[in-house]
Amino acid sequence: MPKDQSLSQLTLWLLAVRDQRDRGAFADMFDYLAPRLKGFIIRSGSSPALAEEIVQDVMLTVWRKAALFDPHKAQASAWIYQIARNRHIDIVRKESRPVPDELGEDPATEPDASQILALEQETVRLKHAIAQLHPDQKEMIVKAYMGHLTHQEISSQTGLPLGTVKSRIRLGLGRLRKELKGLR
Amino acid sequence: MPAITHHIPDEMIAAYVSGSLPHAFSMVVASHLSYCRDCQAALGAHQAAGGALLETGDAVAVEAGLKSRVLAALDSHVVPEPVFEAKGIYPGPVIQRLKGRPPRWKSLGMGVKQDILFEDSEGSARLLFIPAGQAVPDHSHNGLELTLVLQGSFSDETGQFGVGDVEIGDENLEHTPVADAGDPCICLAATDAPLRFRAFMPRLLQPLFRI
Ligand SMILES: [Zn+2]
């Protein structure tokens, strides 16, 4: 695949790790990802010590499983997010999560470079939509995507009455959804 | 394979992605995803949202030694985890739980058999074997139940369920599923009974990706 300028830096690093086992690219990716992963994991309620352990495990898993990364199917950040969730849960539960079989390419669509770019652009717009959220709304959605939090739990953790939490999630999603509608 | 017509609700896919879905239900969701491109697309959308949140979130500095520890471990030999792939009628997540062995059926009478694959405080998952014309045993009437068809089909008041289809039942669903004529119906069924299903993704996330 050509090294296109419109691919995100994260995708380029991941492809360099996948195709060349590029340690320099991995080290750069570590500098970018590790603090974000740690911040993300801490916000799920994990201690900083556990977060460090999970970050180490996730980064090593990214290195070992890079061959499975396919930019036609998933954006780099989406692929790493799912690894982070899986490793977090596997470490806490000490048991492997069930993961789906690969379905292979959809016979209806030819894989091509424009597909990768379309996914990249979608990610950029999604990040833009998230950046537009009020910090409180963003916090709620982050917690939902970190798992283990029901409405009730979000409510008791933040000390907010349930109605307010729900309306914040709804407001946040309303804006996200409007942005996402524009993607179709 | 005929088209799948009964899918996993989006909120449940989101709960699966984030890891808040109990293990027994995750087995059914992952198994359905092993058949279904539509639900894999929904999975991809939620993963993208998770990825975007990861990238745009606040960074917290890692301890000074972490990077060198990770870089030093790149060459360490790791025994790869076993990978369980679909085998016969069973998708990978079922083969994983069976550890690659065939099911160990236990008779429930009338030719109906089961193999309990998993059980914890949040729920249980089992394989069910139902000869043509026999009723699918009720696994619960006071909780959530997911029933995924792996072979054959069954029908009830709400419709017909073939390979890859999943029926979602709760205490509000009054139904009498019966295996259709032909091959015995084999299902993967999960239930949270008697415990309440408590860890769902907020319901409000549901409409997000299926607009
Ligand atoms: Zn589906």
Side-chain angles (χ1 to χ4, degrees):
Chain A
M1 215 190 56
K3 292 269 182 289
D4 192 305
Q5 281 307 305
S6 27
L7 290 178
S8 75
Q9 183 60 62
L10 185 56
T11 305
L12 294 173
W13 282 327
L14 199 47
L15 289 173
V17 168
R18 183 190 76 173
D19 299 334
Q20 283 99 44
R21 306 306 279 157
D22 183 333
R23 283 159 197 261
F26 181 82
D28 290 343
M29 185 161 65
F30 182 96
D31 291 336
Y32 175 76
L33 272 182
R36 284 173 173 78
L37 281 166
K38 187 175 176 185
F40 202 49
I41 294 161
I42 284 175
R43 281 155 96 184
S44 76
S46 297
S47 68
L50 179 62
E52 290 264 329
E53 184 192 335
I54 296 168
V55 170
Q56 174 167 351
D57 189 289
V58 169
M59 291 308 302
L60 286 171
T61 304
V62 166
W63 172 259
R64 288 170 191 149
K65 294 198 169 172
L68 299 174
F69 172 63
D70 178 356
H72 290 98
K73 285 188 188 156
Q75 300 92 326
S77 60
W79 189 74
I80 290 161
Y81 162 78
Q82 191 65 78
I83 287 178
R85 292 308 302 139
N86 290 354
R87 292 308 303 152
H88 188 165
I89 293 159
D90 289 356
I91 287 169
V92 171
R93 293 186 59 118
K94 300 188 168 51
E95 176 161 42
S96 289
R97 292 190 77 195
V99 293
D101 295 320
E102 290 284 336
L103 283 177
E105 276 302 326
D106 186 346
T109 52
E110 295 276 314
D112 62 50
S114 69
Q115 224 170 299
I116 301 176
L117 291 181
L119 272 180
E120 290 277 333
Q121 281 161 14
E122 205 172 301
T123 311
V124 170
R125 297 183 69 171
L126 192 59
K127 281 195 267 189
H128 181 71
I130 290 168
Q132 302 288 304
L133 295 171
H134 190 274
D136 296 345
Q137 299 166 346
K138 190 173 155 185
E139 192 60 24
M140 295 300 157
I141 293 177
V142 166
K143 284 181 175 168
Y145 276 92
M146 288 307 296
H148 298 297
L149 285 175
T150 62
H151 269 162
Q152 193 60 55
E153 288 166 328
I154 291 173
S155 177
S156 56
Q157 198 173 75
T158 58
L160 294 167
L162 205 54
T164 316
V165 174
K166 281 190 171 170
S167 62
R168 284 188 190 189
I169 292 177
R170 195 174 60 242
L171 275 171
L173 288 178
R175 293 190 65 177
L176 254 183
R177 186 177 166 183
K178 257 175 126 178
E179 287 284 333
L180 287 165
K181 257 187 175 167
L183 299 174
R184 305 213 155 194
Chain B
M1 187 186 296
I4 293 169
T5 52
H6 299 89
H7 297 276
I8 301 286
D10 204 43
E11 62 169 358
M12 222 181 273
I13 292 179
Y16 169 75
V17 164
S18 75
S20 57
L21 199 65
H23 193 88
F25 291 107
S26 291
M27 285 173 64
V28 179
V29 172
S31 295
H32 175 82
L33 286 163
S34 302
Y35 295 93
C36 183
R37 253 177 233 291
D38 289 348
C39 288
Q40 285 223 354
L43 177 83
H46 286 296
Q47 289 169 333
L53 288 165
L54 168 66
E55 273 201 90
T56 53
D58 297 332
V60 174
V62 292
E63 281 167 26
L66 187 68
K67 185 178 181 182
S68 52
R69 278 206 303 282
V70 167
L71 292 178
L74 293 185
D75 292 319
S76 63
H77 179 70
V78 177
V79 180
E81 293 164 38
V83 176
F84 294 103
E85 288 173 346
K87 202 160 125 189
I89 63 164
Y90 300 108
V94 171
I95 294 293
Q96 177 189 13
R97 185 50 58 180
L98 288 169
K99 300 191 174 67
R101 297 187 303 249
R104 290 171 177 167
W105 296 112
K106 295 224 163 60
S107 175
L108 295 174
M110 306 293 283
V112 177
K113 296 181 272 188
Q114 73 169 2
D115 180 5
I116 296 172
L117 297 181
F118 176 82
E119 214 169 0
D120 71 3
S121 62
E122 292 185 313
S124 63
R126 70 196 69 201
L127 290 171
L128 289 167
F129 177 104
I130 310 114
Q134 289 293 329
V136 178
D138 268 333
H139 15 290
S140 82
H141 258 306
N142 47 12
L144 184 84
E145 59 181 47
L146 303 184
T147 310
L148 172 74
V149 178
L150 307 177
Q151 174 185 292
S153 63
F154 70 80
S155 298
D156 67 12
E157 293 83 344
T158 68
Q160 190 185 43
F161 296 80
V163 172
D165 282 330
V166 61
E167 182 170 61
I168 297 169
D170 59 22
E171 55 271 307
N172 300 317
L173 178 72
E174 284 293 329
H175 68 140
T176 323
V178 173
D180 296 324
D183 285 336
C185 183
I186 297 179
C187 299
L188 172 66
T191 178
D192 63 346
L195 290 162
R196 294 301 307 163
F197 192 50
R198 55 158 200 87
F200 248 175
M201 197 81 159
R203 190 164 284 276
L204 286 162
L205 284 175
Q206 183 170 359
L208 182 52
F209 291 112
R210 290 213 173 139
I211 307 161

